[in-house]
Amino acid sequence: MGIAEAALAFAISYARERKLPPENRAIAEMQWVQFSVAEMSLRLEAARALAMRAAIATDQRELDFPVLQMQAKVVANEAAVAITTAAMELAGGSGYMRSHPIERYLRDAMSGPLMAWSPAVIRDFLGKTLLGLQPPPPQA
């Protein structure tokens, strides 16, 4: 979630600072930018909430904590990719320049879903577990 937080912070800062001619107004004043930042914030908070729920369940050794951990990983990975992609779109072509950190955040976010277990593997496992087609994951 750190990548998503950094991407959101970049998007907010960039939107406040980037001015467009001829009026020299910040792009933060544009409705589509406001909606984009709001959507980024919603995704981040949803991922945070699920991660916290999974952490509490793990600490309390609830029976479903392995399932919650897997769900949290998928949601956090997808939030990071969506938020960094939206921040890159907000920055436009200049976002690809190495002088802006968003190009690195996007590359880093894209690597999250590739780490074990992948979202496809987790979805397969979760679906089978929730449908009772396989036993729940063992508790550590």
Side-chain angles (χ1 to χ4, degrees), residues 13-28:
S13 174
Y14 185 86
R16 288 177 177 161
E17 294 170 9
R18 176 72 167 110
K19 310 277 192 226
L20 292 180
E23 296 90 20
N24 201 34
R25 293 175 49 200
I27 65 169

Side-chain angles (χ1 to χ4, degrees), residues 44-58:
L44 178 58
E45 290 306 318
R48 265 195 199 124
L50 184 53
M52 186 58 72
R53 170 73 178 101
I56 291 168
T58 301

Side-chain angles (χ1 to χ4, degrees), residues 67-124:
V67 168
L68 288 164
Q69 289 173 346
M70 288 185 243
Q71 291 171 333
K73 180 196 184 304
V74 171
V75 169
N77 286 160
E78 290 177 353
V81 170
I83 292 167
T84 55
T85 299
M88 178 66 84
E89 289 172 357
L90 194 145
S94 69
Y96 285 98
M97 298 174 63
R98 291 193 184 253
S99 60
H100 290 300
I102 193 62
E103 65 89 23
R104 173 65 189 265
Y105 300 155
L106 183 56
R107 284 186 287 126
D108 289 349
M110 297 300 284
S111 70
L114 304 175
M115 305 297 172
W117 293 357
S118 72
V121 170
I122 291 174
R123 281 185 168 90
D124 179 63

